[in-house]
Amino acid sequence: MYRPRAWILNIGNELLIGRIVNTNGAYIARELTLRGVRVERIIVVSDSLDEVATTVREAIGRADIVVTTGGLGPTDDDITMEAVAAALNLPLVLNTAALGMVREFYHKRGLELTKERIKMAYLPKNAEPIPNPVGAAPGAYIYYSGVHIIVLPGVPSEMEAMLKIAIEKLDPFLPKLCIVEEGITVTGIPESSLASLLRKASKLCSDCYVKSHPKGHEIDNPIVEVKVLASAPDCDTARSKATRVLDALRKYIGGI
Amino acid sequence: MYRPRAWILNIGNELLIGRIVNTNGAYIARELTLRGVRVERIIVVSDSLDEVATTVREAIGRADIVVTTGGLGPTDDDITMEAVAAALNLPLVLNTAALGMVREFYHKRGLELTKERIKMAYLPKNAEPIPNPVGAAPGAYIYYSGVHIIVLPGVPSEMEAMLKIAIEKLDPFLPKLCIVEEGITVTGIPESSLASLLRKASKLCSDCYVKSHPKGHEIDNPIVEVKVLASAPDCDTARSKATRVLDALRKYIGGI
């Protein structure tokens, strides 16, 4: 099965000094993986116009889908739209639809447009704005010589809502997949002891998403829910992938 | 002040499918930042020999320090040492000192060496093994045409202990810095409301590490400790950087 390749670029100095952990990268990676995309790189890069433009150029040369996060705000260090425009040799222009979104956001809060707020409506020429249901800054979707470029903000709640919209746009280009979730509840084994068994079992399915959710006390009363999300062109195959992981896990647990 | 540039490469499919969040990247970024290093990239790449070798080649062309994590174990998909050797055009050889470390690890547990265990003692030629105080696989330190390459395992507890050893090796090449920590306790403001003020204040110091630790109940009895780690060539400057962030924070809090 053809699987489009993706690069994820997370832009922000706060990530490079280790002030925050790159949860956005993992979130996007999981969502794309579950839609049949092969994520090949997650790259954190600084709020530097040159660095971002260089990295976007590298990405469009080697991926079918490029998703960026961060650097869409009203301040001078928010340079992502400018960097993407530079990487694609496109001018940065005031996008009427994006301006409408920004105006509406502030109008609802009784605020006027300012130069800083209008800045958020400048997108690379011919980009399609992605509405932001949570915050002020629109994102952008650009189809450029065979590559889908999705530009999202860095605030996780905004990014998550907008990624959903972006993935709908990508839908015609994504593999047709059935996604299933199956789970078991494991009692009497602390999550810390279960971890290596989970790791081993999850290796049986490279594109399953395996996660454990502790529900009881780690030592006194360990209860852990294990969920496996699996995808395949048809639902039977997807289900059998998930089942294989869970069956292996049951076997390993029986061996303790 | 001269600041060496670092690239961090985190190797592992589990990161690219979003099964785990790249906490190693943030941990290493913080430790290096506090030692005066400018971290320019954090890159997640798959367990593919070609992909890792390509990324290591890119990194050594553009950084003074390259730190990798992951892919040092006994199984076939642990390819990091081989990929680093390929990127540097060095042969992969059985390192006697590394073999001693691996032998000792298993001997203490009453286990013999096997082919899979011996594999972990193969390092690029002339690499210096980094002992692993927690697990089995040694790391490696390689000085290659002006670039310091540090190869660490992916298990966070092992990586953290070995990064400390590696940073001691780098010490002569790192800026001489004084690192100070200062803190305040904020009562009556939930951490969620404090967040934007912290973000604003921490922007006053690009190489400070600002962190909040909630100590009371988020709503009923909010108590948050705020710590600022700052570094500078001399301690007075470091202290004044931390103070500037905390003074600004006090001012913003007073304005609520």
Side-chain angles (χ1 to χ4, degrees):
Chain A
M1 182 178 57
Y2 166 73
R3 294 181 62 195
R5 301 156 302 162
W7 281 35
I8 299 168
L9 313 183
N10 304 106
I11 298 155
N13 294 341
E14 69 281 13
L15 294 161
L16 287 174
I17 65 167
R19 190 181 289 146
I20 62 168
V21 174
N22 187 15
T23 53
N24 281 349
Y27 183 92
I28 296 167
R30 190 191 57 195
E31 293 298 312
L32 291 178
T33 299
L34 289 174
R35 295 302 307 262
V37 176
R38 187 184 303 279
V39 178
E40 296 197 338
R41 288 278 193 296
I42 302 173
I43 303 183
V44 177
V45 61
S46 71
D47 298 301
S48 143
L49 185 56
D50 283 351
E51 294 270 299
V52 175
T54 301
T55 315
V56 169
R57 257 180 235 115
E58 287 170 6
I60 57 177
R62 287 153 75 182
D64 307 301
I65 298 168
V66 178
V67 182
T68 77
T69 65
L72 299 193
T75 63
D76 288 345
D77 62 352
D78 291 308
I79 47 71
T80 301
M81 288 295 181
E82 197 180 341
V84 170
L88 307 181
N89 287 313
L90 293 172
L92 193 69
V93 297
L94 186 62
N95 182 295
T96 317
L99 184 63
M101 294 172 189
V102 175
R103 181 187 289 118
E104 194 193 340
F105 178 86
Y106 287 105
H107 186 74
K108 275 187 182 164
R109 288 155 181 83
L111 296 166
E112 293 305 309
L113 285 178
T114 61
K115 194 181 142 212
E116 289 72 26
R117 291 169 187 159
I118 292 171
K119 170 183 174 294
M120 294 187 280
Y122 277 83
L123 309 188
K125 196 177 175 182
N126 296 329
E128 189 183 328
I130 300 174
N132 186 334
V134 180
Y141 169 75
I142 305 157
Y143 186 70
Y144 178 88
S145 66
V147 184
H148 304 270
I149 301 160
I150 293 161
V151 183
L152 302 176
V155 177
S157 58
E158 301 180 18
M159 181 281 290
E160 290 168 18
M162 292 161 79
L163 179 66
K164 208 170 171 174
I165 299 168
I167 286 179
E168 280 165 27
K169 277 185 207 304
L170 291 183
D171 187 67
F173 307 97
L174 296 177
K176 296 297 156 264
L177 286 174
C178 176
I179 296 169
V180 301
E181 184 174 62
E182 306 220 339
I184 57 171
T185 301
V186 182
T187 54
I189 301 174
E191 197 187 19
S192 57
S193 307
L194 204 58
S196 65
L197 307 181
L198 276 178
R199 210 158 38 234
K200 198 173 151 196
S202 63
K203 281 191 175 158
L204 295 173
C205 173
S206 66
D207 50 6
C208 289
Y209 180 69
V210 182
K211 200 152 170 50
S212 58
H213 305 272
K215 298 285 171 184
H217 183 277
E218 165 77 1
I219 302 299
D220 296 342
N221 177 32
I223 303 171
V224 181
E225 269 182 24
V226 177
K227 298 277 188 190
V228 179
L229 268 173
S231 58
D234 63 280
C235 296
D236 282 351
T237 309
R239 211 167 290 119
S240 81
K241 281 180 172 185
T243 304
R244 187 149 58 116
V245 172
L246 289 172
D247 282 352
L249 186 65
R250 279 192 200 92
K251 205 184 95 190
Y252 303 150
I253 290 167
I256 293 190
Chain B
M1 181 177 59
Y2 165 73
R3 295 180 63 194
R5 299 155 302 161
W7 281 35
I8 300 168
L9 312 184
N10 304 107
I11 299 155
N13 294 343
E14 68 281 14
L15 294 161
L16 287 173
I17 64 166
R19 189 181 290 145
I20 63 169
V21 175
N22 187 14
T23 54
N24 281 348
Y27 183 92
I28 297 167
R30 189 191 59 193
E31 293 298 312
L32 291 178
T33 299
L34 289 173
R35 296 302 306 263
V37 176
R38 188 184 302 279
V39 178
E40 296 197 338
R41 287 278 194 294
I42 302 173
I43 303 183
V44 177
V45 60
S46 72
D47 298 303
S48 142
L49 185 56
D50 283 351
E51 293 271 299
V52 175
T54 301
T55 316
V56 169
R57 257 181 235 116
E58 287 170 6
I60 59 176
R62 286 153 76 181
D64 307 301
I65 298 168
V66 178
V67 182
T68 77
T69 66
L72 300 192
T75 62
D76 289 344
D77 61 353
D78 291 307
I79 47 70
T80 302
M81 288 294 181
E82 197 180 342
V84 171
L88 308 180
N89 287 312
L90 293 171
L92 193 69
V93 297
L94 186 62
N95 182 294
T96 316
L99 185 62
M101 295 172 188
V102 175
R103 183 187 286 117
E104 196 195 338
F105 178 87
Y106 287 104
H107 186 74
K108 276 186 181 164
R109 288 156 181 83
L111 296 166
E112 295 305 309
L113 285 177
T114 60
K115 193 182 143 214
E116 289 72 26
R117 291 169 186 159
I118 292 171
K119 171 185 174 292
M120 294 188 279
Y122 278 82
L123 310 186
K125 196 177 176 184
N126 296 328
E128 190 182 327
I130 300 174
N132 186 333
V134 180
Y141 168 76
I142 305 158
Y143 186 71
Y144 178 89
S145 67
V147 183
H148 305 270
I149 301 160
I150 294 161
V151 183
L152 302 176
V155 177
S157 58
E158 301 180 18
M159 180 282 290
E160 290 169 18
M162 293 162 77
L163 180 66
K164 208 169 170 174
I165 300 168
I167 286 179
E168 279 165 27
K169 277 186 208 301
L170 291 183
D171 187 67
F173 307 96
L174 296 178
K176 296 296 157 268
L177 286 176
C178 176
I179 296 171
V180 301
E181 184 175 62
E182 306 220 339
I184 56 172
T185 301
V186 181
T187 54
I189 302 174
E191 197 188 19
S192 56
S193 307
L194 204 57
S196 65
L197 308 181
L198 276 177
R199 210 158 39 232
K200 197 171 151 197
S202 63
K203 282 193 175 158
L204 295 171
C205 173
S206 65
D207 49 8
C208 290
Y209 181 69
V210 182
K211 200 155 169 48
S212 58
H213 306 272
K215 298 285 173 183
H217 184 277
E218 166 78 359
I219 302 300
D220 294 342
N221 176 31
I223 303 171
V224 181
E225 270 182 23
V226 178
K227 299 278 188 189
V228 179
L229 268 171
S231 58
D234 64 280
C235 296
D236 282 352
T237 308
R239 211 167 290 118
S240 80
K241 281 181 172 184
T243 305
R244 188 152 56 119
V245 172
L246 289 174
D247 283 352
L249 185 64
R250 279 192 200 92
K251 205 183 95 191
Y252 303 150
I253 291 168
I256 294 191

